[in-house]
Amino acid sequence: MIKKLLTIMLFCFIVLGVCGCKKVESEYIETQVENVTADIYDISLTGATIIIKDTNENPYTYGEWYKIEREDNGKWYDVETIIEDYGFNDMGYIVDDNGEVKFIIDWEWLYGRLSEGSYRILKKVGEQYISIPFSITTGDN
């Protein structure tokens, strides 16, 4: 009886492990948005600073939304969130007199601490998405 119960439990753990570790490939199409660039600074295991430069005559309005994806063998996959129900403030940020808008992103609340690897942050620009690549390496905070 105990052997049968242990076998069933082992089977359940294997099934849950396979289902829970499934990678979800990115559905976002990276585009080049005219006159918009982005840089990333102060990268840590829990956050970073992004500066978007928009030199358009009529600059875009930017929101707080972002998504983090991880690169694996040349493909991008969603980084799994640590909470299911989440949202972002529906704020509209405009560029300053230098054509820049700055976001200090603390992703620990949504993704936890990131492990070593190659990542990108997606930000929405109008109806398109830009990506800001970055890496986490051993020794990062």
Side-chain angles (χ1 to χ4, degrees):
M1 177 70 173
I2 292 177
K3 211 174 187 182
K4 188 175 185 180
L5 182 60
L6 289 174
T7 304
I8 291 171
M9 287 176 59
L10 178 61
F11 177 76
C12 289
F13 283 124
I14 291 170
V15 169
L16 287 173
V18 170
C19 294
C21 295
K22 184 178 179 186
K23 292 182 182 179
V24 177
E25 194 168 346
S26 177
E27 62 184 48
Y28 294 93
I29 298 171
E30 180 183 349
T31 56
Q32 296 293 323
V33 180
E34 190 171 344
N35 301 319
V36 175
T37 59
D39 289 308
I40 189 165
Y41 304 94
D42 304 325
I43 302 164
S44 74
L45 300 177
T46 61
T49 299
I50 293 174
I51 297 178
I52 298 174
K53 179 117 176 129
D54 185 335
T55 58
N56 286 293
E57 187 174 321
N58 296 308
Y60 291 94
T61 301
Y62 297 88
E64 290 186 0
W65 179 90
Y66 65 90
K67 182 176 188 76
I68 299 180
E69 295 179 334
R70 184 181 177 130
E71 189 269 333
D72 187 17
N73 291 323
K75 293 185 179 181
W76 292 101
Y77 297 92
D78 294 347
V79 172
E80 191 173 335
T81 59
I82 59 174
I83 56 176
E84 288 185 32
D85 295 320
Y86 64 91
F88 293 90
N89 292 323
D90 194 16
M91 302 285 291
Y93 296 93
I94 57 173
V95 298
D96 62 16
D97 292 339
N98 295 321
E100 297 179 345
V101 62
K102 179 179 180 179
F103 293 96
I104 299 172
I105 298 176
D106 177 3
W107 59 65
E108 187 171 23
W109 70 274
L110 184 56
Y111 295 103
R113 291 175 169 263
L114 298 182
S115 59
E116 188 171 302
S118 296
Y119 295 90
R120 69 180 181 181
I121 294 180
L122 297 170
K123 290 287 290 175
K124 192 168 185 179
V125 180
E127 297 301 316
Q128 302 174 76
Y129 298 90
I130 60 170
S131 71
I132 305 110
F134 66 99
S135 295
I136 300 288
T137 56
T138 304
D140 290 337
N141 297 335

